[in-house]
Amino acid sequence: MSGDLTSEERLLQATAREFAIRELAPGAIERDESERYDRSLFTKMGELGLTAAPLPESVGGAGFSYLGWTLVMEELGAVDMAMAVSLSVHLLSQYPVVAWGTPEQQARWLPAMLSGEALGAFALTEPHAGSDAAAIRTRAERLGPADAPEGYRLSGTKIWISNAPEAERYLVFATLDPALGSKGITAFLVEKGTPGFRFGAHERKMGIRACPAAELVFDGAEVPVANRLGGEGEGYRIALSALGEGRISIAAACVGIARAGLDAAARYLTERHAFGAPLVEQQGLRFMLAEMAREVAAARAVTREAARAKDRGEPIAEASSIAKWTASDAAMRVATDAVQLFGGSGYSRETGIERLMRDAKGAQIYEGTNQIHRLIVADEVLRSIGG
Amino acid sequence: MRIVVLVKPVPDPASGGERLGANGRLDRAAVPAVVNGNDEYALEAALKLTAAAPEGSEVTLLSMAPASAPETLRKALAMGATRGVHVTDPALAGSCAVSTAKVLAAALKQLEFDLVLAGVDTSDGLGGTVPAAVAAYLGLPFLSYAARIEPDEPAGTVRVRRISPTGYDLLEAPMPALISCTQALGEPRYPTLKGIMAARSKEIATRSLADLELDPSTVGGAVATTQVLATKVPPARGATEVVRGTPDEGATRIVEFLAQRRII
């Protein structure tokens, strides 16, 4: 399975595994229980370079392949999905700046994010615009002459913004005019502390509880034109351009959840005795284990293939949707079976097994619900036959 | 400060799959290799010492190992070592500690250094004799079981805290010297991602026995002074009791535990 990895990718994988086991595993259950984001762990990820792993060396990234990034996310997801999601979102908020930012914007915005000193967030979702992202209502009102605006005044509310309120740097999508639909959407770089920008309610989640998510409230927050990313009306394309990467990243973390469920269940079946023999002697349970292993292998295969497609520079809309949909469903099924195999111990919050199930559930919903991914895949299939 | 760190690829202890081949030698193909744990502590110490005085500093890895070793040495380069020297030769398979020390000493004669650092032992063989033997072959001062290393470059000396049963001994020797390193020196760093990428362009030079001007009939498996006859897995440990609570409660419980077993 790892035969085609380069020597650097294997070392990256080993480093991420060691980091996850040594740094993330020890407090993962407690952080979930107390809904506590441990910023020092993110700082350590920055020191290691994970916060810049798949970004090009030309902007100060480590220059790893996207396949390499999936190895990192699998290792982190296997141990602490909340931190994996936090890091994934941090990257998601950087890609558009790498792809669309001016050299001045990149120099101003990226270094502190690449090094992990500043945490990033991606602010698209609104109360009335989740899957239907083009329907956002947060307004960006031009300041100064229409043909040469000096800045923009933002008003509206974002919800479910992961890493808020902890994050310092927000990539915010707002519309110049809701009547323009997706063509009115524009992207802005907004810093925490900007007057008129505050945080609303914190989301109280089922899973990934140690990764914060909160409401953003813009009440006439002014941002200079220098903080507009891309042109007016380019925001929707900018948002979509980053989502493919984000989906592969979450898919890989889901492979990690599934792998963790499989490994834990396999060990448990060999250790736990019932009716005078280890549980693993029961053929019915072995069948479950085999099905779990199949899910992990299939999810990993489609995820890595999507990453390879990205590394080859191919379009990834279909591949990334298939990966995210397949891997999050696999994580949910395997985690559910892992809880079943652990029985009462799995249902207890002490062992961390039920956490896998709660964490997996969210991944079927965020980064595009798995229903949206079916629509994307169908669109791509029809496009391929000229339909 | 020029430091050479002796590094050995060993079967990953975490894999639990170490085993001997039919010839009584470790089956190195059975389990993925990693850098020996104690060697990583030695490397960490070397990186800290050179970072403190970076001018003209370098850390060279020296390894006697099978042909596949560079893959394992990459991690040590990614942690920050400057370059590697890999001694490999078909005749070296099955080398005993004496042979290994002879070969490493010969390789060191071709390098310039102020200090040689080595892990106190390796997790595969656990002999712990190679560092002292290398020092003996080269006539270098040997400072063992180091918990702290303090070189004084202007004076040309190095001080080492050597762990002893009751605390530590303070040793001082002229440089160059060879030091065996313990885990008390501090946790090894992770290779950073930029370090991993930078390691791609670092040199690992290969040396054969001929390069070291060693006669193949004097080293290696054919003239091994020791032979592994059998190995046995230690019995599994019994249940462990962890005592929690205040120091008073803990002490009371430990006294009870020992008294029950008539140990006190």
Side-chain angles (χ1 to χ4, degrees), chain B residues 155-183:
Chain B
T157 58
V158 61
R159 278 189 172 204
V160 159
R161 279 192 184 187
R162 176 172 66 192
I163 297 177
S164 77
T166 51
Y168 61 85
D169 304 322
L170 199 55
L171 309 178
E172 189 178 286
M175 294 196 284
L178 192 148
I179 302 171
S180 77
C181 298
T182 70
Q183 300 191 358

PDB file of all heavy atoms in Angstrom, chain B residues 155-183:
ATOM      1  N   ALA B 155      39.803  25.683  25.582  1.00  0.00           N
ATOM      2  CA  ALA B 155      40.719  24.863  26.379  1.00  0.00           C
ATOM      3  C   ALA B 155      40.976  23.514  25.715  1.00  0.00           C
ATOM      4  O   ALA B 155      41.879  22.777  26.120  1.00  0.00           O
ATOM      5  CB  ALA B 155      40.138  24.649  27.782  1.00  0.00           C
ATOM      6  N   GLY B 156      40.146  23.158  24.739  1.00  0.00           N
ATOM      7  CA  GLY B 156      40.327  21.868  24.068  1.00  0.00           C
ATOM      8  C   GLY B 156      39.935  20.689  24.929  1.00  0.00           C
ATOM      9  O   GLY B 156      40.471  19.588  24.773  1.00  0.00           O
ATOM     10  N   THR B 157      39.000  20.921  25.860  1.00  0.00           N
ATOM     11  CA  THR B 157      38.581  19.829  26.754  1.00  0.00           C
ATOM     12  C   THR B 157      37.072  19.667  26.724  1.00  0.00           C
ATOM     13  O   THR B 157      36.346  20.535  26.254  1.00  0.00           O
ATOM     14  CB  THR B 157      38.998  20.122  28.211  1.00  0.00           C
ATOM     15  OG1 THR B 157      38.404  21.372  28.587  1.00  0.00           O
ATOM     16  CG2 THR B 157      40.506  20.201  28.371  1.00  0.00           C
ATOM     17  N   VAL B 158      36.641  18.539  27.259  1.00  0.00           N
ATOM     18  CA  VAL B 158      35.205  18.300  27.390  1.00  0.00           C
ATOM     19  C   VAL B 158      34.929  17.720  28.779  1.00  0.00           C
ATOM     20  O   VAL B 158      35.692  16.908  29.276  1.00  0.00           O
ATOM     21  CB  VAL B 158      34.678  17.365  26.280  1.00  0.00           C
ATOM     22  CG1 VAL B 158      35.345  15.998  26.330  1.00  0.00           C
ATOM     23  CG2 VAL B 158      33.164  17.228  26.345  1.00  0.00           C
ATOM     24  N   ARG B 159      33.809  18.220  29.363  1.00  0.00           N
ATOM     25  CA  ARG B 159      33.381  17.682  30.656  1.00  0.00           C
ATOM     26  C   ARG B 159      32.098  16.890  30.460  1.00  0.00           C
ATOM     27  O   ARG B 159      31.216  17.315  29.721  1.00  0.00           O
ATOM     28  CB  ARG B 159      33.076  18.812  31.625  1.00  0.00           C
ATOM     29  CG  ARG B 159      34.301  19.366  32.278  1.00  0.00           C
ATOM     30  CD  ARG B 159      33.881  20.309  33.374  1.00  0.00           C
ATOM     31  NE  ARG B 159      35.054  20.696  34.138  1.00  0.00           N
ATOM     32  CZ  ARG B 159      35.003  21.124  35.395  1.00  0.00           C
ATOM     33  NH1 ARG B 159      33.833  21.219  36.022  1.00  0.00           N
ATOM     34  NH2 ARG B 159      36.117  21.457  36.037  1.00  0.00           N
ATOM     35  N   VAL B 160      32.024  15.790  31.143  1.00  0.00           N
ATOM     36  CA  VAL B 160      30.840  14.923  31.030  1.00  0.00           C
ATOM     37  C   VAL B 160      30.362  14.552  32.424  1.00  0.00           C
ATOM     38  O   VAL B 160      31.167  14.266  33.314  1.00  0.00           O
ATOM     39  CB  VAL B 160      31.200  13.650  30.219  1.00  0.00           C
ATOM     40  CG1 VAL B 160      30.218  12.522  30.499  1.00  0.00           C
ATOM     41  CG2 VAL B 160      31.234  13.969  28.728  1.00  0.00           C
ATOM     42  N   ARG B 161      29.054  14.618  32.603  1.00  0.00           N
ATOM     43  CA  ARG B 161      28.463  14.036  33.812  1.00  0.00           C
ATOM     44  C   ARG B 161      28.148  12.583  33.507  1.00  0.00           C
ATOM     45  O   ARG B 161      27.313  12.303  32.658  1.00  0.00           O
ATOM     46  CB  ARG B 161      27.161  14.748  34.157  1.00  0.00           C
ATOM     47  CG  ARG B 161      27.372  16.034  34.883  1.00  0.00           C
ATOM     48  CD  ARG B 161      26.053  16.518  35.425  1.00  0.00           C
ATOM     49  NE  ARG B 161      26.244  17.813  36.046  1.00  0.00           N
ATOM     50  CZ  ARG B 161      25.293  18.435  36.733  1.00  0.00           C
ATOM     51  NH1 ARG B 161      24.094  17.883  36.860  1.00  0.00           N
ATOM     52  NH2 ARG B 161      25.527  19.612  37.276  1.00  0.00           N
ATOM     53  N   ARG B 162      28.820  11.682  34.175  1.00  0.00           N
ATOM     54  CA  ARG B 162      28.579  10.260  33.962  1.00  0.00           C
ATOM     55  C   ARG B 162      27.630   9.753  35.046  1.00  0.00           C
ATOM     56  O   ARG B 162      27.875   9.933  36.240  1.00  0.00           O
ATOM     57  CB  ARG B 162      29.888   9.471  34.031  1.00  0.00           C
ATOM     58  CG  ARG B 162      29.652   7.968  33.905  1.00  0.00           C
ATOM     59  CD  ARG B 162      30.935   7.204  33.782  1.00  0.00           C
ATOM     60  NE  ARG B 162      31.738   7.280  34.995  1.00  0.00           N
ATOM     61  CZ  ARG B 162      33.002   6.892  35.072  1.00  0.00           C
ATOM     62  NH1 ARG B 162      33.617   6.424  33.990  1.00  0.00           N
ATOM     63  NH2 ARG B 162      33.677   6.979  36.203  1.00  0.00           N
ATOM     64  N   ILE B 163      26.541   9.140  34.594  1.00  0.00           N
ATOM     65  CA  ILE B 163      25.561   8.612  35.545  1.00  0.00           C
ATOM     66  C   ILE B 163      26.211   7.508  36.375  1.00  0.00           C
ATOM     67  O   ILE B 163      26.875   6.621  35.828  1.00  0.00           O
ATOM     68  CB  ILE B 163      24.330   8.047  34.811  1.00  0.00           C
ATOM     69  CG1 ILE B 163      23.620   9.166  34.050  1.00  0.00           C
ATOM     70  CG2 ILE B 163      23.383   7.355  35.786  1.00  0.00           C
ATOM     71  CD1 ILE B 163      22.445   8.702  33.229  1.00  0.00           C
ATOM     72  N   SER B 164      26.062   7.592  37.699  1.00  0.00           N
ATOM     73  CA  SER B 164      26.589   6.540  38.573  1.00  0.00           C
ATOM     74  C   SER B 164      25.440   6.053  39.444  1.00  0.00           C
ATOM     75  O   SER B 164      24.390   6.683  39.484  1.00  0.00           O
ATOM     76  CB  SER B 164      27.724   7.109  39.438  1.00  0.00           C
ATOM     77  OG  SER B 164      27.175   7.886  40.493  1.00  0.00           O
ATOM     78  N   PRO B 165      25.615   4.936  40.134  1.00  0.00           N
ATOM     79  CA  PRO B 165      24.506   4.400  40.939  1.00  0.00           C
ATOM     80  C   PRO B 165      24.017   5.385  41.998  1.00  0.00           C
ATOM     81  O   PRO B 165      22.879   5.312  42.435  1.00  0.00           O
ATOM     82  CB  PRO B 165      25.112   3.149  41.577  1.00  0.00           C
ATOM     83  CG  PRO B 165      26.233   2.766  40.680  1.00  0.00           C
ATOM     84  CD  PRO B 165      26.775   4.044  40.121  1.00  0.00           C
ATOM     85  N   THR B 166      24.875   6.316  42.403  1.00  0.00           N
ATOM     86  CA  THR B 166      24.488   7.218  43.491  1.00  0.00           C
ATOM     87  C   THR B 166      24.276   8.652  43.044  1.00  0.00           C
ATOM     88  O   THR B 166      23.961   9.511  43.849  1.00  0.00           O
ATOM     89  CB  THR B 166      25.586   7.220  44.572  1.00  0.00           C
ATOM     90  OG1 THR B 166      26.844   7.465  43.925  1.00  0.00           O
ATOM     91  CG2 THR B 166      25.647   5.896  45.295  1.00  0.00           C
ATOM     92  N   GLY B 167      24.463   8.927  41.761  1.00  0.00           N
ATOM     93  CA  GLY B 167      24.316  10.305  41.301  1.00  0.00           C
ATOM     94  C   GLY B 167      25.050  10.449  39.995  1.00  0.00           C
ATOM     95  O   GLY B 167      24.677   9.811  39.013  1.00  0.00           O
ATOM     96  N   TYR B 168      26.097  11.260  39.992  1.00  0.00           N
ATOM     97  CA  TYR B 168      26.915  11.304  38.781  1.00  0.00           C
ATOM     98  C   TYR B 168      28.360  11.618  39.127  1.00  0.00           C
ATOM     99  O   TYR B 168      28.668  12.185  40.169  1.00  0.00           O
ATOM    100  CB  TYR B 168      26.366  12.313  37.777  1.00  0.00           C
ATOM    101  CG  TYR B 168      26.326  13.743  38.273  1.00  0.00           C
ATOM    102  CD1 TYR B 168      27.453  14.560  38.166  1.00  0.00           C
ATOM    103  CD2 TYR B 168      25.168  14.270  38.836  1.00  0.00           C
ATOM    104  CE1 TYR B 168      27.428  15.866  38.626  1.00  0.00           C
ATOM    105  CE2 TYR B 168      25.143  15.577  39.295  1.00  0.00           C
ATOM    106  CZ  TYR B 168      26.264  16.372  39.183  1.00  0.00           C
ATOM    107  OH  TYR B 168      26.241  17.663  39.639  1.00  0.00           O
ATOM    108  N   ASP B 169      29.255  11.176  38.238  1.00  0.00           N
ATOM    109  CA  ASP B 169      30.671  11.511  38.333  1.00  0.00           C
ATOM    110  C   ASP B 169      30.951  12.613  37.329  1.00  0.00           C
ATOM    111  O   ASP B 169      30.373  12.627  36.252  1.00  0.00           O
ATOM    112  CB  ASP B 169      31.543  10.300  37.961  1.00  0.00           C
ATOM    113  CG  ASP B 169      31.218   9.083  38.801  1.00  0.00           C
ATOM    114  OD1 ASP B 169      30.954   9.257  40.002  1.00  0.00           O
ATOM    115  OD2 ASP B 169      31.217   7.962  38.238  1.00  0.00           O
ATOM    116  N   LEU B 170      31.855  13.516  37.666  1.00  0.00           N
ATOM    117  CA  LEU B 170      32.251  14.557  36.742  1.00  0.00           C
ATOM    118  C   LEU B 170      33.585  14.159  36.116  1.00  0.00           C
ATOM    119  O   LEU B 170      34.570  13.970  36.824  1.00  0.00           O
ATOM    120  CB  LEU B 170      32.387  15.882  37.494  1.00  0.00           C
ATOM    121  CG  LEU B 170      32.355  17.145  36.661  1.00  0.00           C
ATOM    122  CD1 LEU B 170      31.106  17.212  35.791  1.00  0.00           C
ATOM    123  CD2 LEU B 170      32.412  18.364  37.580  1.00  0.00           C
ATOM    124  N   LEU B 171      33.556  13.967  34.775  1.00  0.00           N
ATOM    125  CA  LEU B 171      34.772  13.549  34.074  1.00  0.00           C
ATOM    126  C   LEU B 171      35.244  14.683  33.175  1.00  0.00           C
ATOM    127  O   LEU B 171      34.425  15.429  32.640  1.00  0.00           O
ATOM    128  CB  LEU B 171      34.511  12.329  33.196  1.00  0.00           C
ATOM    129  CG  LEU B 171      33.816  11.124  33.823  1.00  0.00           C
ATOM    130  CD1 LEU B 171      33.611  10.049  32.749  1.00  0.00           C
ATOM    131  CD2 LEU B 171      34.651  10.576  34.973  1.00  0.00           C
ATOM    132  N   GLU B 172      36.541  14.794  32.995  1.00  0.00           N
ATOM    133  CA  GLU B 172      37.055  15.756  32.032  1.00  0.00           C
ATOM    134  C   GLU B 172      38.149  15.084  31.213  1.00  0.00           C
ATOM    135  O   GLU B 172      38.919  14.285  31.747  1.00  0.00           O
ATOM    136  CB  GLU B 172      37.629  16.988  32.731  1.00  0.00           C
ATOM    137  CG  GLU B 172      37.964  18.100  31.750  1.00  0.00           C
ATOM    138  CD  GLU B 172      38.480  19.343  32.463  1.00  0.00           C
ATOM    139  OE1 GLU B 172      37.664  20.054  33.090  1.00  0.00           O
ATOM    140  OE2 GLU B 172      39.699  19.581  32.400  1.00  0.00           O
ATOM    141  N   ALA B 173      38.144  15.387  29.912  1.00  0.00           N
ATOM    142  CA  ALA B 173      39.165  14.780  29.040  1.00  0.00           C
ATOM    143  C   ALA B 173      39.522  15.770  27.953  1.00  0.00           C
ATOM    144  O   ALA B 173      38.726  16.646  27.620  1.00  0.00           O
ATOM    145  CB  ALA B 173      38.613  13.498  28.423  1.00  0.00           C
ATOM    146  N   PRO B 174      40.724  15.618  27.387  1.00  0.00           N
ATOM    147  CA  PRO B 174      41.047  16.437  26.224  1.00  0.00           C
ATOM    148  C   PRO B 174      40.255  15.961  25.002  1.00  0.00           C
ATOM    149  O   PRO B 174      39.905  14.790  24.924  1.00  0.00           O
ATOM    150  CB  PRO B 174      42.547  16.211  26.022  1.00  0.00           C
ATOM    151  CG  PRO B 174      42.824  14.890  26.652  1.00  0.00           C
ATOM    152  CD  PRO B 174      41.830  14.723  27.768  1.00  0.00           C
ATOM    153  N   MET B 175      39.976  16.878  24.110  1.00  0.00           N
ATOM    154  CA  MET B 175      39.340  16.495  22.851  1.00  0.00           C
ATOM    155  C   MET B 175      40.445  16.233  21.831  1.00  0.00           C
ATOM    156  O   MET B 175      41.504  16.829  21.930  1.00  0.00           O
ATOM    157  CB  MET B 175      38.406  17.607  22.372  1.00  0.00           C
ATOM    158  CG  MET B 175      37.217  17.788  23.319  1.00  0.00           C
ATOM    159  SD  MET B 175      35.873  18.742  22.574  1.00  0.00           S
ATOM    160  CE  MET B 175      36.503  20.415  22.656  1.00  0.00           C
ATOM    161  N   PRO B 176      40.235  15.383  20.836  1.00  0.00           N
ATOM    162  CA  PRO B 176      39.012  14.614  20.587  1.00  0.00           C
ATOM    163  C   PRO B 176      38.785  13.504  21.601  1.00  0.00           C
ATOM    164  O   PRO B 176      39.743  12.946  22.132  1.00  0.00           O
ATOM    165  CB  PRO B 176      39.235  14.053  19.182  1.00  0.00           C
ATOM    166  CG  PRO B 176      40.713  14.002  19.006  1.00  0.00           C
ATOM    167  CD  PRO B 176      41.272  15.133  19.814  1.00  0.00           C
ATOM    168  N   ALA B 177      37.487  13.214  21.818  1.00  0.00           N
ATOM    169  CA  ALA B 177      37.115  12.174  22.769  1.00  0.00           C
ATOM    170  C   ALA B 177      35.862  11.474  22.260  1.00  0.00           C
ATOM    171  O   ALA B 177      35.181  11.999  21.382  1.00  0.00           O
ATOM    172  CB  ALA B 177      36.849  12.799  24.142  1.00  0.00           C
ATOM    173  N   LEU B 178      35.613  10.302  22.839  1.00  0.00           N
ATOM    174  CA  LEU B 178      34.422   9.550  22.451  1.00  0.00           C
ATOM    175  C   LEU B 178      33.510   9.425  23.671  1.00  0.00           C
ATOM    176  O   LEU B 178      33.957   9.077  24.761  1.00  0.00           O
ATOM    177  CB  LEU B 178      34.809   8.171  21.918  1.00  0.00           C
ATOM    178  CG  LEU B 178      33.695   7.385  21.206  1.00  0.00           C
ATOM    179  CD1 LEU B 178      34.264   6.506  20.103  1.00  0.00           C
ATOM    180  CD2 LEU B 178      32.849   6.567  22.159  1.00  0.00           C
ATOM    181  N   ILE B 179      32.249   9.740  23.469  1.00  0.00           N
ATOM    182  CA  ILE B 179      31.304   9.797  24.580  1.00  0.00           C
ATOM    183  C   ILE B 179      30.117   8.880  24.278  1.00  0.00           C
ATOM    184  O   ILE B 179      29.541   8.958  23.191  1.00  0.00           O
ATOM    185  CB  ILE B 179      30.787  11.240  24.786  1.00  0.00           C
ATOM    186  CG1 ILE B 179      31.972  12.179  25.053  1.00  0.00           C
ATOM    187  CG2 ILE B 179      29.779  11.304  25.925  1.00  0.00           C
ATOM    188  CD1 ILE B 179      31.594  13.662  25.047  1.00  0.00           C
ATOM    189  N   SER B 180      29.751   8.014  25.248  1.00  0.00           N
ATOM    190  CA  SER B 180      28.522   7.234  25.062  1.00  0.00           C
ATOM    191  C   SER B 180      27.380   7.953  25.769  1.00  0.00           C
ATOM    192  O   SER B 180      27.536   8.436  26.892  1.00  0.00           O
ATOM    193  CB  SER B 180      28.701   5.792  25.538  1.00  0.00           C
ATOM    194  OG  SER B 180      28.641   5.702  26.933  1.00  0.00           O
ATOM    195  N   CYS B 181      26.256   8.040  25.072  1.00  0.00           N
ATOM    196  CA  CYS B 181      25.196   8.971  25.456  1.00  0.00           C
ATOM    197  C   CYS B 181      23.965   8.253  25.991  1.00  0.00           C
ATOM    198  O   CYS B 181      23.520   7.251  25.426  1.00  0.00           O
ATOM    199  CB  CYS B 181      24.786   9.793  24.233  1.00  0.00           C
ATOM    200  SG  CYS B 181      26.139  10.801  23.592  1.00  0.00           S
ATOM    201  N   THR B 182      23.400   8.806  27.066  1.00  0.00           N
ATOM    202  CA  THR B 182      22.182   8.248  27.659  1.00  0.00           C
ATOM    203  C   THR B 182      20.986   9.143  27.327  1.00  0.00           C
ATOM    204  O   THR B 182      21.128  10.253  26.831  1.00  0.00           O
ATOM    205  CB  THR B 182      22.289   8.171  29.189  1.00  0.00           C
ATOM    206  OG1 THR B 182      22.247   9.517  29.695  1.00  0.00           O
ATOM    207  CG2 THR B 182      23.569   7.495  29.632  1.00  0.00           C
ATOM    208  N   GLN B 183      19.811   8.626  27.691  1.00  0.00           N
ATOM    209  CA  GLN B 183      18.587   9.369  27.416  1.00  0.00           C
ATOM    210  C   GLN B 183      18.430  10.585  28.330  1.00  0.00           C
ATOM    211  O   GLN B 183      17.585  11.439  28.096  1.00  0.00           O
ATOM    212  CB  GLN B 183      17.378   8.435  27.535  1.00  0.00           C
ATOM    213  CG  GLN B 183      17.492   7.286  26.532  1.00  0.00           C
ATOM    214  CD  GLN B 183      16.219   6.472  26.388  1.00  0.00           C
ATOM    215  OE1 GLN B 183      15.233   6.725  27.056  1.00  0.00           O
ATOM    216  NE2 GLN B 183      16.265   5.490  25.495  1.00  0.00           N
TER     217      GLN B 183
END
